[in-house]
Amino acid sequence: MAAEPSTQTTSDSTGSGGPFAPELLVESRGAVRIVTLNRPDAMNATNEALHESLIAVWAHLAKDPDARAVVLTGAGRAFSAGGDFDHFVELWDDKVLRRKEIDGARRLLTEMIEFPLPVVAAVNGAAVGLGCNLAVCSDIVLIAEDAFIADPHVGVGLTAADGGAPTWPLLMGMLRAKEYLFTSERIPADQAVALGLANRVVPGDQLLDQAIALAEKLAAQPPQAVQSTKRALNMHIKRAVAGVLEYALHEEFHSFDTPEHQAVVNGFLARSRARTEKAARTTS
């Protein structure tokens, strides 16, 4: 878990925690905006409210005339554990909601690629599924020593659409992307740097401070030059994901109907309930 920065951070001017609280907090520190995924009890897994906030926050920040850089991190011991399995069950029968989620995944990736300000990801713990995509779609990625990145879409019976399929081949090469996506294997911090998914490993108790310091350095650069350079670099990403994202999202939509996916989710939820009941019996 990252330590709090040593100097004061104030809330967004729209209110305590910003307009997307409590699921997503937006705080200001000079020209830097700190965006924190804030479902620590669920390891920042994305329910519907958090997903919607993650889509909307980029346009909100782009309209902030005083913002020059962003730090993206997670509350508690995880960056983001990906999708909420209870929410997956909702998507099995509610195909309108499922379509909304799939469309939202497209919008989220597009919003991040088009976002003009530099984003520094402070990966303080597990960055899984959508969480890993949030990290690698940032512009600079600092990762804590005990953190890891993983895209387990295939392992839970889903197409890796809003995870690594659109972006990982561009970052680490096709053969390595296939290995990690097919196996759902965890990528520890030092390996993430070696593969090109992160810039450098940072001690956990220094992570947020270093991420903010880097964002402040970026915020001090000439804004037009930074933003136009980011736009030019992200043209490579836009070309790489064109077509791939649409196909992968189409297939992910149908993945929710497969018996393999539903069996994995039901098994996970059954084990989770059993652990909860055992803990309750132990304490009673």
Side-chain angles (χ1 to χ4, degrees):
M1 176 177 173
E4 289 297 320
S6 56
T7 54
Q8 186 177 5
T9 299
T10 57
S11 298
D12 183 276
S13 59
T14 53
S16 179
F20 306 104
E23 286 83 8
L24 193 69
L25 306 181
V26 180
E27 299 173 298
S28 299
R29 175 164 164 169
V32 174
R33 301 295 174 264
I34 303 168
V35 177
T36 305
L37 283 72
N38 191 44
R39 298 187 69 222
D41 292 342
M43 295 184 68
N44 300 318
T46 49
N47 60 4
E48 185 179 3
L50 179 55
H51 199 234
E52 286 296 312
S53 295
L54 283 166
I55 295 167
V57 70
W58 306 107
H60 169 77
L61 293 172
K63 294 175 184 176
D64 183 343
D66 299 318
R68 291 291 180 268
V70 175
V71 171
L72 178 64
T73 194
R77 60 193 180 94
F79 182 74
S80 174
D84 186 313
F85 273 34
D86 286 311
H87 186 51
F88 285 168
V89 176
E90 295 180 72
L91 301 180
W92 293 349
D93 295 324
D94 191 339
K95 292 194 176 182
V96 173
L97 179 59
R98 190 195 307 178
R99 172 56 59 195
K100 180 182 177 182
E101 293 275 319
I102 293 295
D103 290 344
R106 179 189 300 106
R107 288 169 54 209
L108 176 54
L109 183 60
T110 301
E111 289 287 339
M112 289 197 73
I113 292 173
E114 296 286 351
F115 183 62
L117 306 181
V119 179
V120 178
V123 180
N124 56 301
V128 179
L130 177 61
C132 81
N133 200 39
L134 290 170
V136 302
C137 285
S138 300
D139 300 303
I140 300 176
V141 181
L142 307 187
I143 184 168
E145 293 170 317
D146 59 350
F148 68 88
I149 290 174
D151 186 346
H153 274 79
V154 170
V156 299
L158 295 173
T159 306
D162 59 345
T167 56
W168 282 19
L170 183 66
L171 299 170
M172 68 168 74
M174 183 62 74
L175 292 179
R176 286 175 168 173
K178 286 181 177 179
E179 177 182 357
Y180 285 106
L181 291 174
F182 291 168
T183 63
S184 300
E185 186 176 340
R186 290 183 177 185
I187 304 172
D190 56 350
Q191 183 68 4
V193 172
L195 289 169
L197 296 182
N199 292 79
R200 62 178 180 268
V201 180
V202 177
D205 60 354
Q206 300 175 25
L207 179 68
L208 191 55
D209 280 332
Q210 288 201 25
I212 292 172
L214 178 55
E216 288 174 337
K217 183 177 181 179
L218 299 176
Q221 295 284 80
Q224 188 276 339
V226 171
Q227 293 173 30
S228 60
T229 299
K230 173 175 175 172
R231 198 170 295 115
L233 290 168
N234 277 7
M235 287 180 182
H236 296 283
I237 299 175
K238 290 171 69 174
R239 289 169 182 160
V241 304
V244 174
L245 184 63
E246 293 305 317
Y247 168 77
L249 288 172
H250 173 80
E251 291 298 323
E252 185 175 19
F253 180 90
H254 294 292
S255 294
F256 284 97
D257 293 323
T258 63
E260 295 86 0
H261 163 67
Q262 295 184 10
V264 170
V265 171
N266 282 327
F268 174 88
L269 292 175
R271 291 190 296 273
S272 179
R273 284 192 295 269
R275 287 192 297 269
T276 301
E277 291 169 3
K278 182 179 179 180
R281 289 194 300 270
T282 302
T283 56
S284 61

